[in-house]
Amino acid sequence: MSGIIGSTPFANIFEEVRDNATMQGFVTAIYEIGCLAGAMFILAVGDLLGRRKAMMLGGFIMILGTIIQVTSFPNHAPLAQFIIGRVVTGVGNGINTSTIPTYQAECSKTSNRGLLICIEGGVIAFGTVIAYWIDYGASYGSQDLSWRFPIAFQAIFGLFVCVSMVFLPESPRWLLTHERYEDAEHVISALRGYELGSDETHAERDIILDSIRASGIAGQKSTPVKALLTGGKTQHFRRMLLGSSSQLMQQVGGCNAVIYYFPILFEKNITPGDHNMALLMGGINMIVYAIFATTSWFIIERVGRRKLFLYGTVGQCLSMVLTFACLIPNTQSAAKGAAVGLFTYIASFGATWLPLPWLYPAEINPIKTRAKANAVSTCTNWLFNFLIVMVTPIMIANIGWGTYLFFAVVNACFLPIIWFFYPETAKRSLEEIDIIFAKGFVENKSYVRAAEELPLLTVEEIEQEALKYGLIDTAARGAAHATGPAGVVHEKALSEKSEVDNGSHEEIEN
């Protein structure tokens, strides 16, 4: 919307936004309210619906919302219709952003989970580049083309999601949670390249079953929301807060103040009155964004999550300091330094804070609460996304360079939170991360320290550590056997200690 919301053709249809920073912020930010509603929908029914169906539903709703937006015409309450369309499109996007990282984490190998979700983040950046340059190219077309085509174009991506998910499998962890053992084994063997019924397939299935049993949800189709508030060895509440706080910090760090409003910021503070130059520089800024977003692909597993969080925060903070400092003199030459600050900010963000808050909640939360906790994280993202997008044009209009000073201070506040509370998860399986929190709780030590002390574990060692810290009473291999079609062996998890003790975990324990 950044290249559209302030344009004359758009204002000719939607008169209410003309030279009205508050209304421009509202029309842009209302999309995030739809996203929030979509995330809350997944929070309520995501476990029952499944990952594939949720993503197909999200894609369909996005297409519907796009149609509502582009069919807004004068004399027929166009702004009301456009706002409704943005909310509907947002619902679809909220469903997908709550589901896709979870789906990707649950289908990935330990060795490439971070890479794949970082690629997802990179694709977000590439999508932003496409949006900016379509905005710029369409600005040379007719009045209707200049805003209708860029908005209509997003329907292509919704259609792609709907069609592609027809051919992709369901998450094996979701299948095992719903006791669809044969389907889960087929998916595991297909994803990993194992033979169906092989020892490798059974070993991976057993580890997932142990994790399900440790969480106390064996046989349950959906996790109750109150499970998010439990502590104990599984530390559901702490883990939900870790994931959600990463999404909160991504937004209040100022990313969308730059991404959504770069052309407006540029035109107002750096190239006054030159709308074309502002759009052009916005497109170049997004190319920088996409280039640096790809760097995380190569360093995410080598550097780790904690260091990237810290490096990105320092980069963002210093960039905002440079930006506000160069705007204080209020001269054209000094303002060029502010442009450099905006470029270095988006480079730092693209390489670190763009992918990490989508990766971290998907892997830090256990299988029992992963879908719901990830939905809470996404709700947090869209809620604060709405706040920042809504207030940024008002802040720019009223306090000018103070806007960037505010974001510099906020970024500086992130550093101690990350240092003291964010354990490293790189190169860990999702089930290994459960061991980190059990170790920290049982041994009464910092979870950051527990992660540093725990060596990388094999499949057999994960099971041994789960027994050691009382996450399970018996290994999945000790479960009762039942033979299914084609001679495939399935195992029904026995009742275990964590289910018996579930009531004792209903209170939050530190």
Side-chain angles (χ1 to χ4, degrees):
M1 287 295 293
S2 59
I4 296 173
I5 193 70
S7 67
T8 300
F10 188 80
N12 290 340
I13 302 294
F14 309 99
E15 285 290 340
E16 296 89 340
V17 306
R18 193 187 302 274
D19 300 322
N20 188 331
T22 302
M23 186 55 71
Q24 288 180 5
F26 177 75
V27 171
T28 303
I30 196 66
Y31 176 77
E32 275 70 44
I33 295 300
C35 293
L36 175 62
M40 292 177 70
F41 173 80
I42 292 300
L43 179 62
V45 301
D47 284 329
L48 294 173
L49 196 59
R51 318 308 188 220
R52 289 178 69 247
K53 290 179 181 178
M55 285 184 274
M56 287 189 280
L57 177 64
F60 174 77
I61 293 175
M62 287 185 70
I63 294 170
L64 178 63
T66 300
I67 294 171
I68 294 172
Q69 289 178 76
V70 298
T71 54
S72 301
F73 291 97
N75 304 319
H76 294 86
L79 186 61
Q81 180 177 333
F82 189 81
I83 288 172
I84 291 170
R86 279 188 66 75
V87 172
V88 172
T89 306
V91 170
N93 192 45
I95 290 172
N96 283 338
T97 53
S98 295
T99 307
I100 292 174
T102 301
Y103 176 75
Q104 214 162 15
E106 292 183 343
C107 291
S108 304
K109 292 181 179 179
T110 301
S111 58
N112 66 6
R113 183 179 66 246
L115 169 63
L116 291 177
I117 297 183
C118 283
I119 289 175
E120 178 190 336
V123 171
I124 293 173
F126 290 130
T128 309
V129 171
I130 292 170
Y132 261 86
W133 284 104
I134 286 178
D135 283 358
Y136 182 73
S139 68
Y140 289 96
S142 65
Q143 289 211 1
D144 274 349
L145 179 72
S146 67
W147 70 270
R148 293 188 197 274
F149 177 73
I151 292 172
F153 191 76
Q154 64 188 310
I156 293 175
F157 300 101
L159 182 63
F160 179 78
V161 171
C162 291
V163 173
S164 62
M165 288 314 302
V166 172
F167 303 99
L168 293 175
E170 183 54 87
S171 157
R173 287 171 171 83
W174 184 86
L175 291 170
L176 287 172
T177 300
H178 287 70
E179 300 182 345
R180 292 170 55 179
Y181 301 109
E182 183 178 357
D183 291 339
E185 289 191 11
H186 276 89
V187 173
I188 290 170
S189 61
L191 288 174
R192 305 292 183 257
Y194 300 150
E195 290 291 328
L196 187 61
S198 66
D199 291 340
E200 293 91 344
T201 301
H202 288 162
E204 183 160 342
R205 176 207 57 195
D206 291 340
I207 288 298
I208 297 171
L209 283 173
D210 281 343
S211 179
I212 293 170
R213 296 165 57 212
S215 67
I217 59 168
Q220 295 183 24
K221 302 298 182 184
S222 180
T223 303
V225 174
K226 66 180 182 180
L228 294 173
L229 305 177
T230 58
K233 297 169 186 175
T234 53
Q235 288 292 303
H236 293 159
F237 184 63
R238 174 184 288 269
R239 294 161 80 171
M240 179 189 71
L241 288 181
L242 286 172
S244 298
S245 64
S246 70
Q247 292 281 22
L248 184 152
M249 289 190 285
Q250 182 195 60
Q251 294 306 314
V252 299
C255 64
N256 279 309
V258 177
I259 295 171
Y260 275 71
Y261 293 113
F262 185 92
I264 296 172
L265 303 179
F266 213 86
E267 184 175 353
K268 183 174 179 62
N269 295 320
I270 300 171
T271 59
D274 193 342
H275 183 66
N276 183 67
M277 178 58 71
L279 281 178
L280 185 61
M281 294 306 294
I284 295 172
N285 191 37
M286 289 303 101
I287 291 176
V288 173
Y289 178 35
I291 290 171
F292 277 87
T294 62
T295 62
S296 64
W297 303 359
F298 307 103
I299 61 177
I300 184 65
E301 297 298 346
R302 291 182 184 178
V303 177
R305 285 49 157 166
R306 271 173 58 83
K307 288 183 180 178
L308 278 186
F309 271 128
L310 293 167
Y311 295 161
T313 301
V314 171
Q316 290 181 176
C317 180
L318 295 178
S319 297
M320 285 298 184
V321 169
L322 175 62
T323 301
F324 89 76
C326 290
L327 288 176
I328 292 175
N330 198 28
T331 64
Q332 196 72 19
S333 57
K336 293 177 182 178
V340 174
L342 293 176
F343 275 99
T344 57
Y345 177 93
I346 207 66
S348 298
F349 173 78
T352 57
W353 276 96
L354 169 64
L356 286 173
W358 298 105
L359 167 62
Y360 205 65
E363 63 182 10
I364 201 71
N365 288 292
I367 192 168
K368 176 177 183 177
T369 61
R370 186 171 296 128
K372 280 186 165 55
N374 210 42
V376 170
S377 300
T378 308
C379 286
T380 305
N381 176 285
W382 293 118
L383 182 62
F384 284 91
N385 192 321
F386 170 79
L387 174 66
I388 296 302
V389 172
M390 185 72 194
V391 304
T392 294
I394 302 170
M395 292 174 70
I396 292 295
N398 290 281
I399 62 174
W401 59 264
T403 305
Y404 307 98
L405 171 60
F406 168 79
F407 287 125
V409 173
V410 168
N411 274 278
C413 294
F414 296 164
L415 292 171
I417 297 172
I418 296 165
W419 182 265
F420 290 111
F421 297 106
Y422 277 46
E424 183 57 73
T425 57
K427 301 179 182 178
R428 302 280 189 184
S429 70
L430 297 177
E431 289 68 37
E432 249 178 298
I433 296 169
D434 293 341
I435 307 299
I436 291 173
F437 285 91
K439 176 182 175 67
F441 178 78
V442 171
E443 298 179 3
N444 193 27
K445 62 176 59 175
S446 159
Y447 298 98
V448 172
R449 184 180 170 193
E452 292 172 349
E453 292 179 355
L454 187 71
L456 298 180
L457 305 175
T458 65
V459 170
E460 292 76 14
E461 288 170 340
I462 292 172
E463 206 158 53
Q464 292 168 8
E465 293 294 310
L467 289 166
K468 173 183 174 181
Y469 290 112
L471 286 173
I472 58 174
D473 272 350
T474 57
R477 292 174 183 78
H481 288 67
T483 304
V488 179
V489 177
H490 306 299
E491 296 172 358
K492 180 91 171 182
L494 296 173
S495 60
E496 70 295 323
K497 182 178 179 181
S498 61
E499 280 190 284
V500 174
D501 293 344
N502 194 45
S504 65
H505 291 175
E506 294 303 321
E507 297 181 359
I508 302 168
E509 301 176 48
N510 293 319

